[in-house]
Amino acid sequence: IPEYSLDRDCTTLSRHVLQQFSTFTAAEAQDISAIMNRIALAAKLISRRLSRAGLMAGALGFTGETNVQGESVKKMDVYANEVFISVFKQSGLVCRLASEEMEQPYYIPENCPIGRYTLLYDPIDGSSNVDINLNVGSIFAIRQQEGDDFDPQAKDLLQHGDKQIAAGYILYGPSTILVYSLGKGVHSFILDPSLGEFILAEENITIPQHGPVYSVNEGNYWQWEESIREYIRYVHRHDGYTARYSGALVGDFHRILMQGGVFLYPGTNKNPEGKLRLLYESAPLAFLMEKANGKASTGTERLLDIVPKKLHARTPLFIGSKEDVELVESFIADWMRRK
Ligand code: P6P
């Protein structure tokens, strides 16, 4: 449908991305716009599959494999991972894709056009929710390729989160929402399946400085440092807090972004680094949260300052409204002083 025939406020993702470019050169704007369109295509393909997975023999359940995370792989994980590869392989936009589902990045083959960007992504986050029809998400970040040697260990990706030039997620819920930032504001789009277009829903989303929601798996209570237990006992005792936790990061993050509050995935005594992966889960969300005037921390450091030692590095994550993240940080700092 030609743009002019859409009503005034029906801004598509493609048009919105092109309006974003004051901080990029024309060539970069062209590339990033094309990359965002590829991501939108992947989102549509995954959204369609998710809505019909229960009707398609063999689309649900497990593959029987375990991934680099030691987690059992869902068929949907494999499908979504391959969708991102297939929409980028011939695009000439990226040189490689780094995914939660792949031990090493996938390098674009020699006989395909090579681009100057890397896509880092978690194709389906929260896939344990797929078989019970609850929300899941995809998370992505775009980084510029630096240097020419394509080191299979991808050491040039082991850099802090301020190297991200764009980040976002897709939330597959009652509707499919794409939220992204190119560094200037955070914007959300709703997929109109009848048009096959992501339509602008909200521009320049900012998170309240404080919110009522705290989102954490309290089943880990006795695995945490005492500082986190003290924080949880504090919110239990004080009015105005409510617990919400879906077991899928993207949905929990989106609720916090829209309503305010804090999402916590602390380290545990079994996994002191926590569970969430830095490069394609926490760092993209931290990029968004800071652009939405919120805060993202490991509990003691700014999340975007963290330099990973390996591709699938994990960190604890405290992310959300400034006041709420800083309250958790104050419990951690007090505890460290007393230790
Ligand atoms: P737990 C899903 O497996 C995931 O990676 C995130 O989407 C989610 O926030 C977290 O793990 C849930 O982990 O330990 O609470 O089940």
Side-chain angles (χ1 to χ4, degrees), residues 71 100 122 125-128 216-217 220 245 247-250 252 263 265 275-277 281:
E71 292 164 347
E100 180 195 47
D122 182 357
D125 176 77
S127 55
S128 57
V216 66
N217 182 342
N220 295 332
Y245 193 74
L249 174 57
V250 171
D252 290 330
F263 175 90
Y265 206 103
K275 174 179 180 182
L276 301 178
R277 273 62 58 153
E281 288 178 333

Side-chain angles (χ1 to χ4, degrees), residues 196-209:
E197 288 282 5
F198 279 97
I199 305 299
L200 180 64
E202 194 169 345
E203 275 196 306
N204 301 313
I205 298 169
T206 50
I207 186 171
Q209 289 303 294

Side-chain angles (χ1 to χ4, degrees), residues 81-278:
N81 192 58
E82 285 169 7
V83 161
F84 277 93
I85 291 173
S86 65
V87 303
F88 277 100
K89 186 171 179 178
Q90 304 284 355
S91 69
L93 293 163
V94 298
C95 56
R96 65 194 157 180
L97 296 98
S99 159
E100 180 195 47
E101 295 301 327
M102 300 187 289
E103 172 86 32
Q104 307 293 354
Y106 169 88
Y107 282 84
I108 297 296
E110 302 289 312
N111 60 344
C112 295
I114 308 276
R116 300 291 307 163
Y117 301 89
T118 293
L119 180 80
L120 298 103
Y121 66 110
D122 182 357
I124 289 284
D125 176 77
S127 55
S128 57
N129 278 0
V130 170
D131 295 5
I132 51 171
N133 197 37
L134 290 182
N135 69 275
V136 292
S138 303
I139 308 173
F140 62 88
I142 302 168
R143 294 186 183 218
Q144 218 128 23
Q145 162 63 23
E146 292 184 357
D148 288 326
D149 55 322
F150 292 147
D151 154 31
Q153 299 308 317
K155 288 194 195 62
D156 64 308
L157 286 181
L158 305 184
Q159 300 198 60
H160 56 75
D162 288 320
K163 288 284 184 180
Q164 296 173 119
I165 58 173
Y169 58 85
I170 297 102
L171 174 56
Y172 308 99
S175 62
T176 294
I177 290 187
L178 184 149
V179 176
Y180 87 119
S181 175
L182 304 181
K184 276 181 58 209
V186 176
H187 319 287
S188 70
F189 295 78
I190 298 173
L191 178 62
D192 179 338
S194 67
L195 286 176
E197 288 282 5
F198 279 97
I199 305 299
L200 180 64
E202 194 169 345
E203 275 196 306
N204 301 313
I205 298 169
T206 50
I207 186 171
Q209 289 303 294
H210 164 66
V213 178
Y214 72 100
S215 185
V216 66
N217 182 342
E218 297 203 33
N220 295 332
Y221 183 85
W222 291 109
Q223 322 249 338
W224 294 327
E225 283 268 356
E226 180 56 22
S227 56
I228 307 297
R229 289 199 285 269
E230 281 184 0
Y231 167 75
I232 293 295
R233 290 196 294 271
Y234 173 90
V235 295
H236 286 173
R237 281 196 304 267
H238 286 74
D239 286 346
Y241 288 97
T242 188
R244 291 285 185 275
Y245 193 74
S246 75
L249 174 57
V250 171
D252 290 330
F253 177 89
H254 191 67
R255 178 191 291 110
I256 296 289
L257 177 66
M258 303 312 285
Q259 297 176 352
V262 57
F263 175 90
L264 309 85
Y265 206 103
T268 62
N269 47 32
K270 268 188 295 185
N271 303 309
E273 291 307 302
K275 174 179 180 182
L276 301 178
R277 273 62 58 153
L278 177 63

